[in-house]
Amino acid sequence: MNTPARLLAVLATLLTFAGCASLPQGARPDPRDRFERFNRSMFAFNQTLDKAVARPIAVGYRKITPKPVRTSVSNFFGNLGYPTVIVNDLLQGKLKPFAQDTGRLLVNTTIGIGGLFDPATRMGLGANDEDLGQTFGKWGIRSGPYLMLPLMGPSSIRDGVGSVGDHFTHPRTYIGDPYVRYGLTAFELVSKREELLETDSVLNKSFDPYAFVRTAYLQRREYQVHDGDVPEAAEETEVPDDITP
């Protein structure tokens, strides 16, 4: 089967999932999740792919790689993506974090040997986390409907558009060799999945894993956009009781 035919087959499978997805019995529609049937199908697709591929690779990576090495790998990828944080500091008018994050990038890239080590934290230059989705939120753009993206996971209309913009501020985008570029992407995904292995048990205990992930994501994004000062209306949003004893 040639590549276009394979892509059509994958698309047909995803559309079939979307058409068959249904809400669990007793589940209440969430007004933030306009595309819930489609999103649940994508969540099921992602979970299947994770169990078959991503999680086994992450478990194997943890088994064969010493923790100090895994920490250095995580530091490296965090440092590699830090220009995105710096750009969004500036776009949000956060001049002090902009200076701090610029210093952090310089220190960890030089003294930290390309970001493998994190001397900046020991020097008092703590890490910040900013992206274009948060910047849009700071500018007053609402998140829009919740989205579960194939392979990429939870998002929203605003954050999905923001991730496209963030692509152009990430240094990896400008690596000419596609094997290096995609290799770095794959290695980073393995590293991030390994860091999340402990969360698997929490998700497995959830009565409705999809709703649990949705609530956790939306609350986290509200917290990030407002720098922890979440408006009272957002704090009062009802949270489903998804965790079983």
Side-chain angles (χ1 to χ4, degrees), residues 33 35-47 145-157 209-215 217:
D33 194 357
F35 312 119
E36 184 166 355
R37 291 183 184 276
F38 174 82
N39 287 336
R40 283 185 178 274
S41 70
M42 290 302 100
F43 181 74
F45 173 79
N46 289 343
Q47 287 292 93
Y146 176 73
L147 282 179
M148 179 63 66
L149 300 175
L151 306 180
M152 297 176 64
S155 186
S156 68
I157 297 294
Y210 170 82
F212 177 80
V213 170
R214 178 183 61 198
T215 298
Y217 176 80

Side-chain angles (χ1 to χ4, degrees), residues 8 22 29 35 48 53 59 62 74 91 104 115 168 180 186 200 240 244:
L8 288 174
S22 60
F35 312 119
T48 299
V53 180
V59 170
R62 174 174 288 190
S74 180
L91 290 174
R104 179 180 175 82
F168 294 100
V180 175
D200 290 353
T244 58

Side-chain angles (χ1 to χ4, degrees), residues 23 32 43 46 49 53-54 58 61 74 78 99 113 136 142-143 147 149 171 178 182 193 233 242-243 245:
L23 277 63
R32 301 168 297 179
F43 181 74
N46 289 343
L49 193 63
V53 180
Y61 171 65
S74 180
I113 313 177
F136 286 156
R142 303 175 74 89
S143 67
L147 282 179
L149 300 175
Y182 295 131
R193 184 61 183 90
D242 293 317
I243 300 297

